[in-house]
């Protein structure tokens, strides 16, 4: 397994995950890539590519005073609901993945390239400039954790055809996720 370990007092502060107090292990079929390889609406911390063209991006956004998993879920769902071709499959507040931590979990299917969703322009999904891959139904699994000092996002993207195969990888990764108390 690929492991990123944070130990109090002994973490390397040059590691963005360590700075944020995040511990996470991915299955061995996933490989790290440059954090900014995928477009994210925040500060990229880490990224991986996985089987069948899947990806995982971890990023943070600014602190949102008073935010809860419930308000994050509602706001994110409202923001994403109006995107053409985006279809929600799951919206829940997760109280079990990380003991003592509530997170918003959303799953949707939209046009993309399997490793990321396509940008939307003129009311429809468009290929990224210079990307000649065809658009395919792409699943986004978003796990969002509001914190006192930032909001943490984990975005998995995978071809919808790989959903059953990669669900075990997503669950295994979430089972290893821990956050240092800050």
């Amino acid at each position: 397994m690929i492991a990123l370990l944070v130990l109090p007092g002994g973490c390397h502060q040059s590691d963005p995950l360590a700075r944020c107090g995040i511990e996470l292990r991915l299955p061995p079929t996933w490989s790290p890539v440059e954090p900014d390889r995928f477009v994210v609406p925040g500060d990229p911390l880490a990224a991986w590519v996985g089987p069948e063209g899947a990806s995982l991006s971890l990023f943070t956004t600014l602190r949102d005073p008073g935010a809860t998993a419930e308000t994050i879920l509602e706001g994110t769902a409202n923001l994403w609901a109006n995107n053409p071709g985006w279809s929600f499959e799951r919206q829940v507040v997760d109280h079990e993945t990380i003991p003592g931590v509530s997170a918003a979990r959303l799953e949707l299917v939209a046009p993309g390239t399997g490793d990321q969703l396509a940008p939307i322009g003129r009311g429809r999904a468009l290929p990224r400039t210079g990307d000649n891959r065809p658009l395919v139904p792409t699943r986004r699994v978003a796990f969002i954790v509001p914190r006192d000092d930032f909001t943490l996002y984990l975005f998995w993207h995978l071809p919808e055809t790989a959903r059953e195969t990669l669900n075990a990888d997503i669950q295994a990764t979430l089972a290893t996720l821990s956050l240092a108390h800050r």
Side-chain angles (χ1 to χ4, degrees):
M1 297 201 117
I2 297 171
L4 298 168
L5 183 61
V6 179
L7 298 173
C11 65
H12 300 286
Q13 292 303 308
S14 62
D15 176 6
L17 293 178
R19 267 195 321 271
C20 292
I22 301 167
E23 180 181 331
L24 181 70
R25 288 183 303 281
L26 279 83
T29 53
W30 290 75
S31 302
V33 295
E34 290 300 315
D36 61 356
R37 176 168 175 175
F38 303 105
V39 177
V40 296
D43 294 322
L45 297 177
W48 293 265
V49 293
E52 301 194 46
S55 69
L56 169 59
S57 296
L58 269 74
F59 63 96
T60 60
T61 60
L62 294 175
R63 169 183 172 303
D64 186 357
T68 65
E70 291 81 7
T71 61
I72 295 278
L73 179 72
E74 180 181 359
T76 302
N78 287 338
L79 180 65
W80 291 352
N82 294 313
N83 287 314
W86 289 30
S87 173
F88 279 101
E89 302 234 336
R90 183 176 184 193
Q91 301 175 47
V92 298
V93 174
D94 179 315
H95 299 286
E96 298 174 9
T97 298
I98 306 171
V101 174
S102 295
R105 182 169 176 166
L106 299 96
E107 292 189 35
L108 59 86
V109 177
T113 52
D115 61 352
Q116 59 188 336
L117 299 183
I120 297 171
R122 298 182 301 228
R124 62 185 169 91
L126 301 169
R128 292 190 187 283
T129 303
D131 190 342
N132 296 324
R133 295 178 291 173
L135 297 182
V136 298
T138 300
R139 177 169 291 268
R140 171 182 283 173
V141 177
F143 192 80
I144 308 167
V145 183
R147 309 268 304 189
D148 289 339
D149 45 354
F150 58 85
T151 302
L152 173 66
Y153 290 77
L154 290 84
F155 276 8
W156 281 268
H157 290 99
L158 49 134
E160 180 60 7
T161 56
R163 176 177 55 143
E164 293 301 320
T165 307
L166 293 176
N167 189 49
D169 284 3
I170 293 169
Q171 292 309 112
T173 302
L174 283 173
T176 70
L177 179 61
S178 68
L179 304 172
H181 294 288
R182 303 172 73 73

